[in-house]
Amino acid sequence: MSAPLASPEKAILVIYTGGTVGMAYNKSGELVPMNFEQIRKKMPELHQLNMQVDVLNLGPPIDSSNITVADWLALAALIRDNYARYDGFVVLHGTDTMAYSAAALSFLLENLGKTVVFTGAQVPVGRIRTDARRNLVTALEMAAARHPMGGTVRVPEVCLFFNELLIRGNRAKKVESQQYNAFRSENYPPLGRAGIELEFNDKQIRQLPAAPLCAHTYLDDRVTILRLFPGLTERMVRAQLEVDGLRGAVLETYGSGNAPTAPWFLNCLRDASDRGVYLLNVSQCEEGRVLQGRYETSAHLSGLGIIGGDDITVEAAITKLMFVLGLNQEPEVTRRLLTQDLRGEITLI
């Protein structure tokens, strides 16, 4: 169904972190960050939107490659502190780590009842063929969208809009660095599309929560990602899994969750698990899911305490691990939370 125009009463807060969307060329031909007022001047169409648009800076503009856990917590706090004043939120963010940030915010913002849209650009706003204008204007419209019947929030989720797709934040993955269609929704249909009209896939959108917003304030960053490849050695595996203080690791395995059966490899996993390190099994494949135990090369993992990650993305897996470990629950509760669908990040079958 098409979305109605936002009413003048709708107020959207734009949180500007930096990224290509806010870059311009200086006199030396180098890309440098602008402030948002410069972006307003280059995008007069923002003044034509039928809504109030306010802007807050997360801090000095940063390249998304430099985003940190502290920045995610600051974003969550900004949304919490301004939650009552605005009808929706747009986060301007660099594309390289946008999927990580959107996933992290989806876990931090529990019981989210308003739309939070991450967006950015492949081409700086000052260029003639920039995608920044379309992405920002459409993200603002998505953030303000309401159901045509009843006027409730259309997408009460953290999501990501890019090119033409509105994607659940913890299902997104950056797949392209040279084309405008930079993101894809992994193992889940898009929540919406932007054509001539805005269209929403209402059946795939999570329902409005019954409880008030809870913005969490801690993520445990004592985690790592171990990607398997032929030729991986015991020395390299132990170097990652025996880091002092490590609490969790995402294992990027083959196919449907398969891994080597070499004794040294199994011993590495067993030793880590015995030390209390939570190991989350995630497939390297862009589509499909972990079916731990389907083949002989994954059947042994469950016996070592490895947790199957179903169809979760790596970006969502590492941020979910940070979030769940940050709750400091008992081991059995932690394991249960890692296997549960908390924010629509996995498809339970």
Side-chain angles (χ1 to χ4, degrees):
M1 296 181 63
S2 299
L5 288 174
S7 67
E9 291 78 21
K10 294 296 181 291
I12 306 299
L13 178 64
V14 173
I15 302 175
Y16 179 52
T17 71
T20 301
V21 66
M23 304 288 275
Y25 289 97
N26 62 17
K27 295 180 180 180
S28 301
E30 301 168 329
L31 278 173
V32 295
M34 298 186 293
N35 60 46
F36 195 82
E37 290 309 312
Q38 291 174 291
I39 297 176
R40 283 185 189 271
K41 292 178 181 179
K42 291 180 178 293
M43 293 182 61
E45 55 267 50
L46 292 177
H47 299 289
Q48 301 174 25
L49 291 172
N50 195 29
M51 65 184 75
Q52 173 189 336
V53 179
D54 295 332
V55 180
L56 281 178
N57 293 321
L58 183 65
I62 57 175
D63 187 289
S64 72
S65 297
N66 291 320
I67 207 78
T68 66
V69 168
D71 295 320
W72 294 338
L73 296 173
L75 276 173
L78 274 178
I79 292 171
R80 176 200 64 207
D81 295 344
N82 291 278
Y83 195 72
R85 297 176 54 201
Y86 293 95
D87 299 291
F89 302 85
V90 171
V91 180
L92 296 183
H93 195 289
T95 60
D96 286 346
T97 60
M98 190 187 296
Y100 289 95
S101 295
L105 264 290
S106 77
F107 296 117
L108 287 171
L109 298 175
E110 186 174 0
N111 300 324
L112 180 66
K114 298 182 180 181
T115 309
V116 176
V117 186
F118 279 76
T119 196
Q122 293 284 67
V123 180
V125 68
R127 294 278 293 272
I128 294 176
R129 296 185 61 247
T130 180
D131 55 336
R133 292 183 174 88
R134 179 185 180 190
N135 287 348
L136 176 52
V137 169
T138 309
L140 287 166
E141 292 181 317
M142 294 283 192
R146 296 296 181 270
H147 280 281
M149 302 295 292
T152 55
V153 175
R154 198 66 181 267
V155 190
E157 298 197 29
V158 175
C159 44
L160 184 155
F161 177 78
F162 216 88
N163 194 38
E164 64 174 16
L165 295 180
L166 183 70
I167 299 170
R168 177 170 292 161
N170 53 40
R171 294 282 189 160
K173 181 178 287 292
K174 186 176 181 182
V175 296
E176 177 60 62
S177 62
Q178 297 297 315
Q179 304 297 325
Y180 290 129
N181 56 332
F183 290 88
R184 186 163 64 203
S185 184
E186 294 291 307
N187 293 312
Y188 198 78
L191 303 182
R193 291 180 180 272
I196 295 175
E197 302 285 345
L198 300 186
E199 299 177 353
F200 294 92
N201 191 352
D202 290 325
K203 292 182 179 180
Q204 306 299 332
I205 297 171
R206 290 167 66 83
Q207 299 299 308
L208 279 166
L213 175 72
C214 174
H216 293 268
T217 59
Y218 182 67
L219 294 170
D220 194 329
D221 61 2
R222 293 173 292 176
V223 296
T224 191
I225 299 174
L226 174 60
R227 184 178 177 89
L228 306 187
F229 61 90
L232 185 64
T233 66
E234 180 176 2
R235 180 181 178 186
M236 293 298 102
V237 173
R238 290 197 178 277
Q240 280 196 254
L241 297 184
E242 294 182 0
V243 171
D244 186 42
L246 184 71
R247 294 199 64 207
V250 172
L251 302 180
E252 284 197 69
T253 55
Y254 307 126
S256 57
N258 304 313
T261 58
W264 69 262
F265 182 74
L266 301 183
N267 288 335
C268 287
L269 298 185
R270 183 180 294 106
D271 291 347
S273 184
D274 289 346
R275 291 193 304 273
V277 177
Y278 295 91
L279 303 173
L280 187 58
N281 185 2
V282 177
S283 175
Q284 295 179 14
C285 298
E286 292 186 356
E287 297 182 3
R289 64 190 306 116
V290 167
L291 298 171
Q292 203 163 274
R294 181 177 184 179
Y295 297 101
E296 182 183 359
T297 47
S298 67
H300 56 288
L301 298 180
S302 295
L304 298 175
I306 313 300
I307 302 166
D310 292 292
D311 61 348
I312 196 169
T313 65
V314 172
E315 293 87 343
I318 194 66
T319 51
K320 182 178 183 178
L321 199 55
M322 290 180 182
F323 171 71
V324 172
L325 293 177
L327 297 175
N328 290 313
Q329 298 291 326
E330 294 297 321
E332 60 272 17
V333 177
T334 296
R335 293 182 65 85
R336 184 172 70 248
L337 289 173
L338 289 173
T339 61
Q340 286 181 352
D341 176 23
L342 302 181
R343 308 284 191 271
E345 73 279 3
I346 59 176
T347 308
L348 297 177
I349 57 175

